[in-house]
Amino acid sequence: MIALLLALGSSLAYGCADFLGGLGARKAHVLRTVMIAAPASLAIELLLWPLLGASFSPATLAWGAASGVASAAAFVLLYRTLAIGPMNVLSPVTALVSAALPVGVGLLQGEHLAAAGMIGLPLALVAVVLVSAGPGVRAARPSRTALLLAFGAGAAIALQLVFLHQAPADSGVGPLIVGRAVASAITLTAAGLMHRRLGAERPAYAMSATAGVLDSVANLLFLIAARSGDLAVVAVIVALYPAGTVLLARKVLGERLHRGQLIGLGVAAVAVSLLALN
């Protein structure tokens, strides 16, 4: 139950971070937003170091660095995917892949689900698709390139979660610090190489920094949840993060929730309840 609640908190934090990051990316080039968000996230994890502890064994450094590379790749592939569109088709594809791969890894590592979990897990995957899908999905046909990028983005997000889970359980926030440092270095290097293409628009500093802080909180909650529960269950709950994004868009931007998303939220509630009984 504790792992489930932590996973829900992680999902909500990821959804809020994506919402703020998306708004920030509307005001300036996405790399300008990430240049602020990634170091802000790293700063939070460094502040948590004295409180939660951290060790930096070779395994922690390796898995943390791998998660950082995956995180940087996820940013690039995800925003490139959504730029090509259509978002209402590609977003659920990305979310589903990001959920399915960790589930497979968890089951292959010997995790077992009770009867309630066997029903709740596929329901949660269905909820991921419904919640993250926008209106007009049937009419939209993405290109093969866009679909490949969507699968790549989902795989990168999934690998980030899997790599963090593989880090030693006694490493504290070590893998988070290493991962965010690597992701920040990659992002800042890319921004330096592409500085002429970034435009003159000033980024939304406060919004971008808040997105980074929330992303750091989401990573921390996921790591604690995965250490205290099953990766298969935690990952699919975390993948419900689009629910937080669409609810914020409804509240702040006045965007309407279509029927499929409302059904998805209901399915998610049922799935979480079943997984809680697992």
Side-chain angles (χ1 to χ4, degrees):
M1 180 60 73
I2 293 176
L4 193 66
L5 292 175
L6 290 170
L8 285 172
S10 176
S11 178
L12 180 60
Y14 274 130
C16 294
D18 285 354
F19 176 76
L20 292 176
L23 286 183
R26 292 182 180 182
K27 301 179 181 295
H29 193 282
V30 63
L31 272 181
R32 291 195 181 277
T33 299
V34 179
M35 283 172 58
I36 298 170
S41 180
L42 175 60
I44 293 300
E45 288 160 4
L46 288 173
L47 289 174
L48 291 172
W49 184 352
L51 298 175
L52 302 178
S55 66
F56 299 94
S57 66
T60 299
L61 293 174
W63 288 115
S67 73
V69 173
S71 176
F75 273 119
V76 174
L77 292 171
L78 179 61
Y79 285 111
R80 179 56 180 163
T81 297
L82 299 180
I84 295 176
M87 291 186 186
N88 52 21
V89 176
L90 299 176
S91 180
V93 170
T94 299
L96 183 61
V97 173
S98 71
L101 287 182
V103 168
V105 171
L107 295 178
L108 286 174
Q109 290 182 338
E111 296 178 357
H112 299 286
L113 298 175
M118 294 296 291
I119 299 173
L121 197 60
L123 275 181
L125 293 173
V126 171
V128 168
V129 176
L130 290 174
V131 168
S132 56
V137 171
R138 293 183 179 179
R141 293 185 178 181
S143 66
R144 180 180 299 178
T145 299
L147 280 174
L148 288 175
L149 285 171
F151 274 97
I157 295 171
L159 287 174
Q160 178 194 4
L161 301 181
V162 170
F163 291 154
L164 285 176
H165 179 256
Q166 297 303 312
D170 60 352
S171 58
V173 295
L176 296 179
I177 294 174
V178 174
R180 191 56 65 194
V182 170
S184 297
I186 293 174
T187 300
L188 293 174
T189 301
L193 295 174
M194 298 176 58
H195 69 279
R196 294 183 179 180
R197 302 181 185 179
L198 300 186
E201 296 87 354
R202 296 182 61 184
Y205 292 101
M207 192 178 298
S208 301
T210 304
V213 170
L214 288 171
D215 187 74
S216 180
V217 171
N219 284 336
L220 175 63
L221 292 177
F222 164 77
L223 189 61
I224 298 174
R227 287 173 175 173
S228 58
D230 291 337
L231 176 64
V233 174
V234 169
V236 76
I237 296 301
V238 170
L240 289 168
Y241 64 85
T245 304
V246 299
L247 289 175
L248 274 176
R250 172 72 178 89
K251 183 68 174 179
V252 177
L253 302 179
E255 295 183 2
R256 297 180 59 185
L257 294 175
H258 69 93
R259 185 173 59 183
Q261 288 174 313
L262 291 173
I263 295 174
L265 291 174
V267 173
V270 174
V272 170
S273 299
L274 288 171
L275 290 172
L277 296 174
N278 182 60

